[in-house]
Amino acid sequence: MLFDLDGTLVDPAGAITGGISAALASCGLPVPPAADLQRMVGPALVTSLRDIAGVPADRVDEVIAIYRAGYRSAGMAQSRPYPGIADTVARLRAEGRLVAVATQKPEPLAMELLTTQDLLDLFDSVHGSPADEQAAAALDGKTTIIAAALARHAGSFDRAVMVGDRRHDVHGAAANGLECIGVDWGFAAAGELEAAGAVAVVGTAEDLLAELHSLTELHSLTEPHSEQHGFRAQEGACAHGSL
């Protein structure tokens, strides 16, 4: 199972939208309306600042630097896992399933956030954008990131499912031949996930677990995990099941 991060696993609790707003104001730039700030969660930050907030290209790096500094100093600690999501992931791991993160957040920052929220050890691997924000913006949405997660565990599963809260997750999954379950507690506008082609949209972590079981009930994972669960799962294991 592949999980998006912000808006799926972790509630930023205003740390992203509030942080972007503060960074724009600090730079003397216009702050978009709340609805537009919500739309900025999901895509690469460079893309959101340029296309939604209208930040001039020569000021994007300045805004990002201010935003990232604030996010690291306070935003990550302000964030919280969504209700029941940690238990859902733990249950999947207990069932022997491979579970990974696929996020457009820069990978080093994603690792920091998962560590801060005590979630890192629940996942077999974490896949994100390059640390270079401009390089991240050049990616084809979530497609390359999801492909990297699949390649990391190639030979260890025969079916994979994506879980996310934005259309980018659905499109990235589809580009890799995967179904995507949408969660409605994140940042998607009403109807966005359904219009993008999500196979289902769920409203609670418990419903998500049931839907994942429904999609993968004919598949069971036989890849062994090391005794020390978490990001450093057993290397070199080769089996078939669900990712």
Side-chain angles (χ1 to χ4, degrees):
M1 282 74 174
L2 303 175
F3 284 81
D4 176 50
L5 183 50
D6 292 310
T8 300
L9 292 169
V10 173
D11 179 1
I16 295 178
T17 55
I20 291 172
S21 176
L24 290 169
S26 175
C27 293
L29 295 168
V31 176
D36 286 340
L37 287 169
Q38 290 279 106
R39 291 197 298 123
M40 295 177 71
V41 182
L45 186 54
V46 169
T47 303
S48 289
L49 289 171
R50 181 189 64 217
D51 297 347
I52 299 176
V55 176
D58 62 353
R59 302 205 63 189
V60 167
D61 288 343
E62 175 189 1
V63 174
I64 288 177
I66 293 172
Y67 165 70
R68 293 295 186 207
Y71 185 74
R72 279 195 161 97
S73 65
M76 283 193 284
Q78 179 181 330
S79 303
R80 291 290 182 269
Y82 285 102
I85 197 67
D87 289 341
T88 291
V89 177
R91 171 75 177 274
L92 293 168
R93 286 297 302 272
E95 292 170 357
R97 300 177 189 271
L98 280 167
V99 188
V101 172
T103 174
Q104 283 194 256
K105 202 179 208 72
E107 193 169 300
L109 200 60
M111 297 282 286
E112 288 183 48
L113 176 59
L114 289 164
T115 299
T116 298
Q117 297 300 323
D118 294 324
L119 295 174
L120 184 62
D121 285 348
L122 291 176
F123 296 95
D124 292 287
S125 59
V126 177
H127 307 270
S129 297
D132 183 312
E133 304 275 359
Q134 297 293 339
L139 293 179
D140 48 357
K142 292 288 281 281
T143 301
T144 298
I145 296 165
I146 292 172
L150 297 175
R152 164 66 178 78
H153 298 286
S156 299
F157 64 93
D158 54 23
R159 183 176 184 179
V161 179
M162 180 71 198
V163 178
D165 73 303
R166 294 295 314 275
R167 67 182 185 276
H168 318 287
D169 301 304
V170 183
H171 294 161
N176 283 282
L178 309 184
E179 294 171 308
C180 181
I181 299 174
V183 299
D184 73 358
W185 55 74
F187 292 91
E192 175 183 320
L193 291 163
E194 293 87 346
V199 66
V201 179
V202 298
T204 68
E206 293 76 15
D207 290 343
L208 173 60
L209 183 61
E211 189 64 35
L212 286 167
H213 283 155
S214 177
L215 284 177
T216 61
E217 62 184 359
L218 298 180
H219 303 273
S220 60
L221 182 68
T222 57
E223 179 184 55
H225 293 297
S226 65
E227 290 185 3
Q228 182 180 5
H229 280 192
F231 181 68
R232 295 177 179 84
Q234 180 166 328
E235 299 288 341
C238 183
H240 295 277
S242 300
L243 172 62

